[in-house]
Amino acid sequence: MSSLRRVSKTLKSPKCLSLLQTYSKFTPFPSMFRLNDHPLELARACCSNSRQNSKENNVDLSQYPAERIRNFSIIAHVDHGKSTLADRLLELTGTIKRGHGQPQYLDKLQVERERGITVKAQTATMFHKHNFHGPNVAEAQDPPTFLLNLIDTPGHVDFSYEVSRSLAACQGALLVVDAAQGVQAQTVANFYLAFESNLTIIPVINKIDQPTADPDGVKAQLKSMFDLEPSDCLLTSAKTGQGLEKVLPAVIERIPPPPGHSDSPLRMLLLDSYYDEYKGVICHVAVVDGILRKGDKISSAATGNAYEILDVGIMHPELTPTGVLLTGQVGYVVSGMRSTKEARVGDTLYHSRSVVEPLPGFKPAKHMVFSGLYPADGSDFEALNHAIERLTCNDASVSVTKESSSALGLGFRCGFLGLLHMDVFHQRLEQEYGAHVISTIPTVPYIFEHSDGSKVQVQNPAAMPSNPKKRVTASWEPTVIATIIIPSDQRAFMKYRLPLKEIVVDFYNELKSITSGYASFDYEDSDYQEADLVKLDILLNGQPVDAMATIVHNLKAQRVGRELVEKLKKFIDRQMFEITIQAAIGSKVIARETISAMRKNVLAKCYGGDVTRKRKLLEKQKEGKKRMKRIGSVDIPQEAFHQLLKVQ
Ligand SMILES: Nc1nc2c(ncn2[C@@H]2O[C@H](COP(=O)(O)OP(=O)(O)OP(=O)(O)O)[C@@H](O)[C@H]2O)c(=O)[nH]1
């Protein structure tokens, strides 16, 4: 028997197999290992694997057991300085260079940079030396290094789902409050999110450099509203750097290390994902128990699918391969997931060979606003489908179902967490995927009861019968509990129950403008209440346009109908025939406008024989036509659809 066959036979003996199985629980073999492999090959593969696992790209994660890890979020009301503070902490730890020329480093999306808001939570890993026990112990000479995972979260109410998901990976949070503005509506909402998740909360009073800063006043607010001790508050200016040196020591000393058991079977929580053209789906994960190594075989508790870990690492601050993630660490994995449907946020990933109890996951996102999304050019349906699939990988809070409209063709009905969320999703589709999209009037999920006692939830006005009075016996609309804080001389804290539809369109902007930007607003969903609802149809030359239908309160129908037809008249160009625009409830027309006919000859001014000029004008006209949607015989510019979103 050759030596190779002898080794192979020995390896296959029952005793050796059971030893291997026990051993492999702790030291996974490279994925290409098979029992018939040559022992030298096997040894080489194991060595290179462990080298790669322990130290890849100069980051040796084996030095960071759970007690040297801190996972924390930065939460705050919008604009109180989260992203700027995150920048300073990344600079302080040398994770990014000072003056890297890109403020709000973690706001990576174009839409975030343009609007100056955070819409996606972002994670970055930092390393920081800290002398835990004071200067008298031996550690003072060479203080230990801690691995800190920072998650910057959005402040706007529409993205609080991102915040609650981020908190699931953390044991603590920096609650940032503007020293001049004090506690605002999202400060309250975010405090309770963190408090209910049992996180250690470190209050940070930021922007103390402002002339109107009142840190003592804010300390008193934090004490009276949240029972946070004034002596626990850190005072900082993320702009001047004042007080920042106290932030990371507070994180390390006050926030507990992640719990979890390194010797238990692997359980990873899938926090987020996005699609990369070269690597496929990249998942952000938190290792709750056990150890993950490159080459491991993992399974998804949600889908049952199995994958091999092709790459694993941390965000330091960009993807940095480490070959391994230990208990309590937050990082990324690439596992060959092809479709975004496979990466379910909140899923538990575990070693395929083990049996584990799935982690609790996240509460499903509650969709407040629904709107139809259609390709501006009907033939682009597949391209839009592809773009939506890719984008929902990075924004799992959007619900998508296919629908069709007689006016706009094949499209999608999407559920969003709010109007800003809808707007941002729309903008990301255009900017990141080049998709040209028409959105229909946003609607909230209404409930209708029919005479036979059956109830239906209607997310698309087109799905509601034209004459509700005949077939519908009762209707209900969703409401919210709104919190409004006005930090004027006499600080007012108001709580109202409002119909959701009322706050969906422009309520926030109006509130800001009538209070000169001082009021802040947040809401949580509440019960349904009975309401007298009707479907308002829009007709162009007598033909109802399903994509423009909307559901409104009977009392408001007249005003909304008038506004809609006036808006349409303003944005539809005169065409070669007369166009009538009507708003109707059932067969009753409640508003009407007419656009008179004209003959538009773009060449009319081109007397003389300049062929190139004529051609240019015709090309321009053709381009203009592309941005039109033909409904029946009427060309409607995309802008008209956009304007309708703002009515009500
Ligand atoms: N004066 C002063 N301005 C600050 C300070 N920190 C942040 N700012 C400014 O406040 C504005 C908002 O800062 P961001 O860091 O974007 O706030 P944010 O909380 O991340 O905002 P969202 O992500 O939209 O919720 C920016 O113009 C910052 O330059 C500070 O300490 N002092």
Side-chain angles (χ1 to χ4, degrees):
M1 200 191 288
S2 76
S3 62
L4 184 58
R5 281 177 49 206
R6 254 197 320 272
V7 171
S8 176
K9 197 173 168 199
T10 323
L11 278 171
K12 283 178 184 168
S13 72
K15 193 172 164 201
C16 193
L17 267 179
S18 98
L19 262 175
L20 274 172
Q21 275 158 6
T22 320
Y23 179 60
S24 67
K25 271 189 194 152
F26 301 102
T27 315
F29 287 102
S31 57
M32 60 282 193
F33 167 68
R34 281 180 300 276
L35 288 179
N36 283 335
D37 284 348
H38 191 286
L40 290 178
E41 284 303 323
L42 169 61
R44 201 190 337 261
C46 283
C47 277
S48 75
N49 195 42
S50 68
R51 262 201 307 274
Q52 183 185 42
N53 284 348
S54 62
K55 203 166 185 183
E56 199 165 305
N57 252 29
N58 296 326
V59 179
D60 182 2
L61 288 189
S62 65
Q63 289 181 16
Y64 303 96
E67 58 271 21
R68 290 271 184 89
I69 300 172
R70 300 292 182 271
N71 296 325
F72 69 103
S73 258
I74 308 187
I75 53 176
H77 184 75
V78 69
D79 272 355
H80 281 197
K82 291 177 298 292
S83 306
T84 313
L85 179 65
D87 273 5
R88 294 294 93 79
L89 298 181
L90 290 170
E91 288 171 3
L92 206 81
T93 52
T95 315
I96 57 174
K97 284 203 184 80
R98 209 175 287 268
H100 47 85
Q102 186 181 305
Q104 281 94 24
Y105 181 87
L106 293 175
D107 286 349
K108 294 179 179 168
L109 303 174
Q110 191 180 343
V111 54
E112 292 180 316
R113 305 208 142 267
E114 280 175 14
R115 294 178 182 233
I117 55 165
T118 308
V119 305
K120 278 300 295 175
Q122 293 290 350
T123 309
T125 300
M126 312 179 286
F127 296 93
H128 188 65
K129 278 187 181 295
H130 178 67
N131 186 350
F132 211 99
H133 303 289
N136 295 330
V137 286
E139 268 180 10
Q141 301 299 324
D142 185 20
T145 306
F146 287 79
L147 183 156
L148 310 174
N149 285 312
L150 172 161
I151 308 185
D152 182 24
T153 59
H156 193 280
V157 53
D158 277 16
F159 304 105
S160 55
Y161 186 65
E162 281 286 314
V163 181
S164 54
R165 278 196 295 131
S166 310
L167 296 186
C170 296
Q171 288 70 47
L174 297 177
L175 179 70
V176 177
V177 186
D178 184 315
Q181 289 189 12
V183 171
Q184 296 290 311
Q186 263 98 59
T187 321
V188 181
N190 285 328
F191 169 81
Y192 283 109
L193 278 179
F195 185 72
E196 281 158 16
S197 311
N198 283 326
L199 301 194
T200 301
I201 297 169
I202 302 177
V204 178
I205 302 176
N206 188 37
K207 305 199 188 183
I208 54 167
D209 59 289
Q210 295 178 107
T212 50
D214 175 19
D216 289 336
V218 177
K219 279 185 190 172
Q221 277 174 15
L222 290 169
K223 173 72 185 159
S224 71
M225 294 181 80
F226 310 131
D227 202 23
L228 292 170
E229 289 305 324
S231 56
D232 288 342
C233 294
L234 304 178
L235 302 185
T236 63
S237 165
K239 189 175 175 186
T240 65
Q242 201 183 337
L244 289 182
E245 71 289 348
K246 299 219 169 104
V247 177
L248 293 179
V251 165
I252 294 169
E253 291 185 7
R254 295 192 212 170
I255 296 176
H261 304 281
S262 53
D263 47 2
S264 295
L266 173 76
R267 289 197 299 172
M268 283 193 294
L269 184 62
L270 203 162
L271 298 171
D272 201 0
S273 62
Y274 64 95
Y275 192 83
D276 179 275
E277 279 306 324
Y278 302 103
K279 293 178 183 252
V281 177
I282 297 183
C283 298
H284 288 180
V285 293
V287 178
V288 175
D289 290 319
I291 296 170
L292 176 80
R293 287 187 171 83
K294 186 169 167 178
D296 283 2
K297 294 272 184 347
I298 56 153
S299 295
S300 146
T303 63
N305 293 348
Y307 306 93
E308 181 183 332
I309 298 293
L310 305 172
D311 186 14
V312 49
I314 54 174
M315 280 75 78
H316 181 50
E318 301 300 330
L319 301 187
T320 306
T322 56
V324 65
L325 279 180
L326 307 181
T327 311
Q329 290 174 347
V330 176
Y332 75 90
V333 296
V334 178
S335 60
M337 285 185 188
R338 287 273 126 235
S339 139
T340 54
K341 291 194 186 90
E342 295 170 69
R344 302 216 185 144
V345 168
D347 191 5
T348 302
L349 303 172
Y350 58 96
H351 278 144
S352 301
R353 59 178 183 266
S354 64
V355 179
V356 297
E357 176 79 12
L359 297 159
F362 306 120
K363 268 194 262 166
K366 185 144 188 153
H367 301 112
M368 305 289 238
V369 184
F370 290 84
S371 163
L373 291 188
Y374 290 85
D377 176 352
S379 61
D380 280 351
F381 175 78
E382 276 313 319
L384 181 60
N385 189 9
H386 183 76
I388 287 182
E389 205 177 281
R390 291 276 187 268
L391 189 51
T392 47
C393 176
N394 193 225
D395 186 354
S397 56
V398 179
S399 73
V400 183
T401 45
K402 286 192 180 142
E403 73 171 11
S404 73
S405 145
S406 51
L408 299 176
L410 277 180
F412 302 88
R413 179 123 301 246
C414 298
F416 302 97
L417 307 178
L419 207 65
L420 177 66
H421 181 214
M422 174 180 130
D423 219 23
V424 163
F425 189 81
H426 194 148
Q427 191 175 341
R428 290 187 68 187
L429 275 178
E430 298 205 335
Q431 285 178 339
E432 295 170 32
Y433 298 93
H436 295 290
V437 183
I438 289 178
S439 342
T440 62
I441 301 178
T443 183
V444 299
Y446 294 108
I447 293 177
F448 291 92
E449 187 180 64
H450 293 109
S451 38
D452 63 359
S454 64
K455 284 186 183 170
V456 282
Q457 195 189 67
V458 174
Q459 296 163 358
N460 179 2
M464 189 181 158
S466 281
N467 189 347
K469 292 288 163 207
K470 274 192 190 154
R471 307 196 28 208
V472 172
T473 48
S475 44
W476 291 265
E477 64 176 346
T479 65
V480 292
I481 301 290
T483 307
I484 299 170
I485 297 184
I486 302 178
S488 55
D489 295 344
Q490 285 176 341
R491 216 177 138 75
F493 184 101
M494 297 177 268
K495 264 193 183 281
Y496 284 101
R497 185 158 181 232
L498 301 171
L500 171 61
K501 183 67 187 278
E502 296 302 317
I503 60 155
V504 159
V505 181
D506 251 15
F507 180 85
Y508 190 48
N509 290 343
E510 250 179 71
L511 180 72
K512 281 267 171 205
S513 86
I514 57 176
T515 60
S516 312
Y518 282 116
S520 66
F521 167 70
D522 188 34
Y523 61 81
E524 55 191 298
D525 64 294
S526 183
D527 303 332
Y528 272 74
Q529 72 181 13
E530 202 156 358
D532 184 11
L533 302 167
V534 290
K535 179 185 173 199
L536 189 65
D537 282 311
I538 295 292
L539 295 86
L540 291 179
N541 284 347
Q543 290 300 311
V545 183
D546 59 354
M548 290 184 181
T550 178
I551 295 171
V552 287
H553 270 240
N554 204 357
L555 277 176
K556 288 173 71 179
Q558 186 80 34
R559 179 179 62 73
V560 173
R562 175 119 305 280
E563 270 183 48
L564 286 174
V565 295
E566 279 169 6
K567 272 259 160 73
L568 280 171
K569 180 174 182 186
K570 210 157 127 200
F571 286 92
I572 298 178
D573 284 339
R574 292 167 73 190
Q575 292 168 32
M576 288 189 317
F577 44 84
E578 188 181 88
I579 303 167
T580 56
I581 310 167
Q582 295 166 308
I585 299 171
S587 54
K588 188 173 153 217
V589 173
I590 56 167
R592 178 195 162 104
E593 288 288 346
T594 308
I595 303 173
S596 54
M598 73 165 266
R599 189 182 171 81
K600 191 170 183 188
N601 180 359
V602 290
L603 303 180
K605 290 184 212 139
C606 283
Y607 44 84
D610 184 351
V611 179
T612 39
R613 183 152 174 241
K614 271 185 190 167
R615 200 175 299 134
K616 263 192 196 156
L617 280 168
L618 285 169
E619 282 297 320
K620 220 170 131 193
Q621 190 188 39
K622 215 164 107 194
E623 263 307 301
K625 280 233 152 65
K626 270 196 200 160
R627 288 192 293 270
M628 298 281 181
K629 193 83 207 166
R630 174 154 290 191
I631 292 179
S633 53
V634 185
D635 284 331
I636 303 183
Q638 279 176 42
E639 180 58 17
F641 283 94
H642 197 67
Q643 290 299 322
L644 294 188
L645 304 184
K646 296 176 189 159
V647 178
Q648 279 158 76

